[in-house]
Amino acid sequence: MSKAFDQSITKALENPNLGGILDRWNYPATRAKAYEGVDFEALRGEISAIKGEAAGHLPELADQFQKSAEARGAKVFRASSPQAVLDYILGICQSKGVKKVAKSKSMASEEIHLNKFLAEHGIQADETDLGEWIVQLAHQTPSHMVMPALHLTKEEVAEIFSQEVKRPLSPEIQGLVKVARKELREKFFEADLGVTGANIAIAETGTLVIMTNEGNARLVTTLPKIHVAIVGIEKLVPRFADAAPILRALPKSATSQLITSYVSMITGPVPNDDGTMKDLHIILMDNQRTAMAADPEFKQALQCIRCASCLNVCPVYRLVGGHVFGHIYTGGIGTILTAWFNELKTTEDIQGLCIGCGKCNEVCPGKIDIAGLILELRRRLAKKEGLSFIQKSALQIINNRKVFHAMLRAASIAQKPFAKDGFIRHLPMFLSNLAEHRSLPAIAPKPFRDLFPEIRQPKGGGKVAFYAGCAIDFVSPKVGVAVVKVLNQAGLEVIFPQEQSCCGIPHWASGANEMAALAAAHNLGPLLAEDVEYVVTACATCATALKKEWPHLLQQQGMGGLVPKAEAVAAKTVMFTELVAKLIQEGRLTPKDGMELQSVTYHDSCHAKRHVGIYKEPRAALSAAGFDLREMNESDTCCGMGGSYTVKQPELSMGMLKRKLDNAEQTGAQYLCAECPGCLIQLGGGLDKRGSQLQAKHPAELLEDRFKDPGDTEG
């Protein structure tokens, strides 16, 4: 990470306004209200199908749009690059004597830095969208794709407007809006040329669809005698009917409105107020969009409808706002677009902002796997530029089971001067900042793999293989012991393949997919060595690897011969609470009677809920076992762990942790539960550092003594 980028994060975190903007809006609640009665999954399925079809036929749709629009009197220019767009608009301005331009909100014009270019050629371009005008006056770039001035307070806006009108203004919103209306009105009348973007371009009819909340686009397209629309070719859809689902989803996802205030449809030029015909120019801009459409992985990114819902739910964006991302398009989708519209190298820092929680994927109306595409950027960057020496060495050590395990055993001895009660609360000298905001986990004196042979188990029942993962094995072996005990109570014998090692997720998350595939290949043999009913894991991160990623990784890295074995492991893999809930339902696990009522609040790890879809099962198991389940606010929002993210982005990680712990403590529960050892390391360390009475526990620890032993009818 560059020093300047690191400083931009620190500066953003020190801005008290940025961390609370989206909270004051309460986007999740207002969005949910807007979508009441709407089948969101069906709607976004429609949009992804329409936009996916369009992305596969962009040249043909551009041809059809051009033919349809020109037949109705528009002039259509096909531009392959930003410079071609700029030169075309400059040519219009110079040939028509244009000195003043009025602009409606257009991310495409921001993408090519149109205002700066026109100013360099003596042409004044005025933004007429309120947010864009504020940003323009402040000499800044938009911080949000839908709400450009979201990062500014009303006091800051009042100061900006005061400088513009040369008199002091109070920070009263209605008054500021009146000032803006008065100042902007003249710009519409003075403009020789109007510039807009378009939300949709319909190939069938040559129609532009423009959605706004302020009506400024209608004035920009009506009053000036020349209208130029800059349209990225990803806005093309085949048929007029294809606009309907986008019109339904965009306002709900963008601003939680049922419908946007103004929808304008422009099909060919119309007469001006003096009887002459509007000079309508439509620029279809490529700028790497065709190349993106040809890429099997990134084609889906063109399904974006620019609603910015991914920004509104992103835990990182919520902390730092948009300017840290360093380009026009911000947030998760912005990282992807920047990599294509600029170049991959420019995302080296900003793609590291993504913690991979996948919250963006859930709300995207285009059904884009945003988190997955950022991982793919990471993989391509790692392949092209290489990993740092330290990162590569660390991942290689993790892949060497004997060396890695030997180092962990050595660490358990070396840590003794600093460890107490399972935590390292202070570290010396330059390492001190690692334990500043949360206590660190101590390596267990005896790993689970050494404890397992000492566990006495029933024989003769079904068999399950236990995949412990590194954290349970070496940090929280008591969780592993609890897992075995609970499954024994269902009459199941647990086997523990001693040759198992890291699942490869650290490598996968770093873009080192070849090393991740080697980790997968190493584990297949041990896990399939015995005929077992299930492969059980009590780690959501490991479950993601076993249930979802291993077959894909092996295929991608040319190890297709191992894919059937990986698929066999995936078919048998279950998360611990997933299996417990099933065993309770089948009557193979019976909760004891008369247990003390204890309260628990549950944190959904990102891997559990969004990667493997497990979130109902742990709640069902805990409730069936007699726990009082108290739901916390934002139970499925990331805790900030993200593996090495806590080291690479410590300030962001701790910001997310603070929010999570505040929400958990507000429930008044006794236990904070999560089925992810990594999350528990983060949560437990944070609770210990703040001296909280709330205890972080794995479900297995809470369920360990809650079930009757086989044959025990008295409980």
Side-chain angles (χ1 to χ4, degrees):
M1 188 196 312
S2 68
K3 185 177 181 181
F5 184 66
D6 190 32
Q7 290 172 341
S8 72
I9 292 174
T10 301
K11 182 180 178 181
L13 289 171
E14 290 172 350
N15 184 334
N17 184 50
L18 292 181
I21 295 170
L22 293 175
D23 292 337
R24 292 192 288 275
W25 180 15
N26 195 7
Y27 174 78
T30 57
R31 177 186 177 276
K33 182 72 175 175
Y35 271 108
E36 280 182 359
V38 177
D39 186 338
F40 176 65
E41 289 304 320
L43 181 60
R44 74 176 187 157
E46 278 188 83
I47 293 171
S48 65
I50 291 166
K51 298 282 282 182
E53 176 192 357
H57 300 87
L58 288 180
E60 301 96 308
L61 290 176
D63 288 342
Q64 185 183 6
F65 180 90
Q66 182 172 5
K67 183 178 178 181
S68 300
E70 288 180 343
R72 289 164 172 82
K75 300 178 183 69
V76 179
F77 176 67
R78 309 269 284 272
S80 60
S81 68
Q83 191 59 50
V85 179
L86 296 171
D87 290 343
Y88 183 82
I89 295 175
L90 180 62
I92 296 171
C93 292
Q94 291 176 337
S95 65
K96 302 289 186 178
V98 172
K99 294 299 180 183
K100 290 188 176 182
V101 172
K103 292 178 69 256
S104 177
K105 187 177 183 305
S106 165
M107 290 304 296
S109 72
E110 294 282 358
E111 181 183 328
I112 63 174
H113 307 290
L114 176 62
N115 293 2
K116 180 183 177 184
F117 177 81
L118 292 177
E120 290 170 351
H121 290 83
I123 301 166
Q124 178 181 329
D126 292 307
E127 297 290 349
T128 64
D129 172 86
L130 178 57
E132 288 282 357
W133 188 55
I134 293 169
V135 167
Q136 184 180 34
L137 293 179
H139 305 290
Q140 297 177 3
T141 55
S143 65
H144 191 281
M145 286 189 282
V146 174
M147 296 165 286
L150 182 68
H151 59 291
L152 295 171
T153 65
K154 64 181 185 294
E155 288 78 15
E156 289 171 322
V157 173
E159 184 178 345
I160 292 166
F161 281 11
S162 296
Q163 293 175 0
E164 176 66 13
V165 301
K166 306 289 192 296
R167 60 186 174 86
L169 299 172
S170 65
E172 192 268 316
I173 294 175
Q174 292 303 320
L176 294 173
V177 170
K178 287 181 181 178
V179 170
R181 184 180 293 119
K182 180 179 182 299
E183 293 296 316
L184 289 173
R185 185 175 290 124
E186 295 305 314
K187 300 184 186 300
F188 294 116
F189 290 108
E190 294 171 353
D192 307 302
L193 181 150
V195 172
T196 71
N199 298 96
I200 308 167
I202 303 169
E204 181 180 50
T205 57
T207 301
L208 298 178
V209 182
I210 304 173
M211 303 171 68
T212 67
N213 272 325
E214 299 171 22
N216 58 310
R218 289 192 177 176
L219 290 171
V220 165
T221 58
T222 302
L223 294 178
K225 290 181 167 42
I226 308 167
H227 173 204
V228 176
I230 309 171
V231 186
I233 58 174
E234 81 281 7
K235 301 296 180 67
L236 288 163
V237 297
R239 299 161 292 273
F240 197 85
D242 293 334
I246 300 173
L247 289 170
R248 290 183 70 200
L250 185 51
K252 294 177 177 65
S253 289
T255 53
S256 304
Q257 295 170 269
L258 294 178
I259 189 168
T260 194
S261 301
Y262 299 89
V263 177
S264 303
M265 295 189 178
I266 299 172
T267 308
V270 295
N272 291 308
D273 56 4
D274 63 359
T276 61
M277 290 300 292
K278 181 78 65 183
D279 191 5
L280 174 60
H281 299 258
I282 302 172
I283 303 172
L284 295 179
M285 181 172 69
D286 192 324
N287 191 22
Q288 298 301 311
R289 288 160 170 84
T290 300
M292 187 185 291
D295 188 293
E297 297 281 351
F298 285 92
K299 174 187 171 185
Q300 62 173 298
L302 296 174
Q303 293 163 201
C304 175
I305 63 172
R306 302 292 192 273
C307 69
S309 56
C310 55
L311 279 65
N312 298 338
V313 300
C314 175
V316 178
Y317 182 92
R318 183 165 59 193
L319 288 171
V320 300
H323 286 145
V324 169
F325 290 83
H327 193 61
I328 299 306
Y329 296 104
T330 58
I333 191 64
T335 301
I336 296 162
L337 298 178
T338 299
W340 282 87
F341 297 166
N342 288 8
E343 60 177 29
L344 181 61
K345 180 70 174 173
T346 60
T347 66
E348 186 171 12
D349 283 335
I350 63 174
Q351 48 96 345
L353 289 171
C354 177
I355 196 168
C357 73
K359 191 83 171 173
C360 50
N361 293 10
E362 282 187 332
V363 300
C364 176
K367 213 172 181 178
I368 304 168
D369 180 10
I370 297 170
L373 292 183
I374 292 175
L375 275 176
E376 178 61 16
L377 286 180
R378 206 168 285 170
R379 184 191 72 81
R380 294 187 184 188
L381 192 62
K383 186 175 181 179
K384 183 179 179 181
E385 304 289 337
L387 297 172
S388 69
F389 174 77
I390 293 175
Q391 191 175 21
K392 185 176 181 180
S393 299
L395 293 175
Q396 286 175 334
I397 288 170
I398 292 172
N399 254 11
N400 188 321
R401 184 184 68 82
K402 291 184 178 179
V403 172
F404 182 45
H405 290 179
M407 289 179 68
L408 289 172
R409 290 177 188 274
S412 71
I413 298 171
Q415 73 184 359
K416 285 184 178 180
F418 311 104
K420 184 180 180 182
D421 303 324
F423 289 106
I424 298 172
R425 297 184 176 94
H426 305 283
L427 284 171
M429 297 180 294
F430 64 92
L431 297 174
S432 61
N433 65 319
L434 294 176
E436 182 179 357
H437 299 290
R438 64 161 195 183
S439 302
L440 299 176
I443 305 298
K446 193 171 185 179
F448 175 76
R449 61 181 54 245
D450 291 354
L451 294 174
F452 179 76
E454 302 171 5
I455 302 173
R456 297 180 62 185
Q457 297 193 64
K459 304 293 182 181
K463 282 187 177 183
V464 299
F466 180 37
Y467 184 84
C470 306
I472 289 177
D473 198 354
F474 285 90
V475 178
S476 306
K478 59 184 178 181
V479 172
V481 173
V483 167
V484 175
K485 182 174 179 180
V486 172
L487 296 180
N488 286 170
Q489 289 164 346
L492 294 171
E493 180 186 352
V494 180
I495 65 167
F496 180 80
Q498 289 281 337
E499 290 298 308
Q500 64 179 270
S501 63
C502 178
C503 65
I505 286 290
H507 312 77
W508 170 74
S510 300
N513 285 20
E514 66 286 349
M515 284 196 273
L518 290 173
H522 172 85
N523 283 295
L524 294 177
L527 291 176
L528 294 173
E530 292 195 42
D531 183 22
V532 294
E533 190 176 353
Y534 298 106
V535 175
V536 181
T537 178
C539 172
T541 305
C542 294
T544 297
L546 274 64
K547 295 184 79 161
K548 186 178 176 183
E549 295 301 330
W550 281 0
H552 169 71
L553 283 166
L554 292 166
Q555 188 69 54
Q556 181 194 63
Q557 298 301 315
M559 304 167 75
L562 293 175
V563 169
K565 289 185 176 181
E567 290 174 341
V569 170
K572 290 187 175 187
T573 298
V574 292
M575 284 185 63
F576 169 72
T577 56
E578 181 184 8
L579 180 56
V580 168
K582 184 174 185 290
L583 294 171
I584 292 172
Q585 192 174 33
E586 293 174 350
R588 296 169 69 181
L589 274 175
T590 306
K592 292 179 181 178
D593 300 321
M595 295 293 291
E596 177 190 355
L597 183 65
Q598 295 177 310
S599 56
V600 60
T601 187
Y602 195 81
H603 161 66
D604 293 287
S605 86
C606 303
H607 281 109
K609 184 172 184 184
R610 285 182 279 276
H611 286 260
V612 294
I614 302 299
Y615 59 99
K616 295 178 181 178
E617 295 83 351
R619 290 171 169 81
L622 289 165
S623 296
F627 285 94
D628 172 21
L629 190 61
R630 302 181 184 181
E631 289 292 344
M632 75 171 89
N633 183 37
E634 300 179 340
S635 63
D636 65 346
T637 297
C638 187
C639 67
M641 178 55 179
S644 60
Y645 195 89
T646 59
V647 177
K648 295 176 182 176
Q649 304 285 4
E651 293 177 297
L652 297 177
S653 174
M654 293 306 109
M656 285 181 257
L657 174 61
K658 180 184 182 303
R659 186 184 186 93
K660 174 62 65 172
L661 296 184
D662 288 346
N663 285 333
E665 288 183 328
Q666 286 167 13
T667 67
Q670 295 167 270
Y671 299 109
L672 170 55
C673 195
E675 195 171 4
C676 177
C679 292
L680 289 172
I681 288 171
Q682 176 88 333
L683 299 170
L687 290 171
D688 181 75
K689 181 61 73 170
R690 61 167 61 182
S692 176
Q693 296 299 307
L694 185 60
Q695 298 180 58
K697 295 285 186 181
H698 192 282
E701 296 176 276
L702 296 182
L703 295 171
E704 184 176 4
D705 296 313
R706 288 273 170 163
F707 299 108
K708 297 177 181 179
D709 290 323
D712 181 3
T713 58
E714 299 299 321

